[in-house]
Amino acid sequence: KQEVTQIPAALSVPEGENLVLNCSFTDSAIYNLQWFRQDPGKGLTSLLLIQSSQREQTSGRLNASLDKSSGRSTLYIAASQPGDSATYLCAVRYTGANSKLTFGKGITLSVRP
Amino acid sequence: GAVVSQHPSRVICKSGTSVKIECRSLDFQATTMFWYRQFPKQSLMLMATSNEGSKATYEQGVEKDKFLINHASLTLSTLTVTSAHPEDSSFYICSAGGLLMNQPQHFGDGTRLSIL
């Protein structure tokens, strides 16, 4: 079964800390992997999209990496701020999935001032 | 700015009411849109794939007569929850885009549906 796992479910860090959010997937046959941010009661905001041929993508303080062979992706957040507090979701588009995304349950991040 | 618009953002209604949710792609034409449901502290579960000009494709376990989908134009898909009951209360989110390998999917802001 093609699944996406995000552990831990929640994380609390002090402001200014660099942190890494993990995502693992069960099948290396993927088109791409996408990281999203979700604020409480809101929809999803796309943060980074990594194609299967890429190793990483960067946007501002965010850096996402992809290791297909081990079935892992990480989202690195540099110099965390209270405004980064949200749930971060990882989603994988497996090959043959007709554009469907398979989501992890997300990691709820709290950055303490 | 937002590329997918979803309305309404919140609905509270009595049991037995039918509720329509709209999803619009703002800057592009979307031949395919996706409808998801999200329970508290859970991931997004794909309900159905909405196809412009043809029938929607429903995921296993989703009742097509309960969740009616219409995709009459290239920029608008609607989800109607028919005769809603309290167990239908949830957060519904639509998305569009991402049909090509190098394109991300964009999501609406979601609709919080509460059935009394």
Side-chain angles (χ1 to χ4, degrees), chain A residues 34-95:
Chain A
Q34 199 166 350
W35 281 94
F36 295 90
R37 169 183 173 141
Q38 184 176 30
D39 291 291
K42 298 293 186 181
L44 275 64
T45 299
S46 179
L47 297 175
L48 290 164
L49 172 68
I50 310 179
Q51 304 299 334
S52 62
S53 60
Q54 298 174 326
R55 297 284 292 183
E56 65 178 347
Q57 284 288 321
T58 298
S59 176
R61 293 184 294 109
L62 305 179
N63 175 280
S65 69
L66 175 65
D67 184 341
K68 275 197 312 178
S69 60
S70 65
R72 293 180 184 175
S73 175
T74 62
L75 179 66
Y76 174 83
I77 302 177
S80 59
Q81 304 169 358
D84 294 330
S85 298
T87 296
Y88 291 82
L89 292 148
C90 168
V92 171
R93 186 193 300 184
Y94 288 104
T95 57

Side-chain angles (χ1 to χ4, degrees), chain A residues 32 38 43 51 93 100 103-104, chain B residues 38 43 59 98 101-102 109:
Chain A
N32 55 45
Q38 184 176 30
Q51 304 299 334
R93 186 193 300 184
K100 298 176 187 178
F103 282 86
Chain B
Q38 186 180 33
S43 184
E59 296 299 302
M101 282 174 48
N102 62 344
D109 279 342

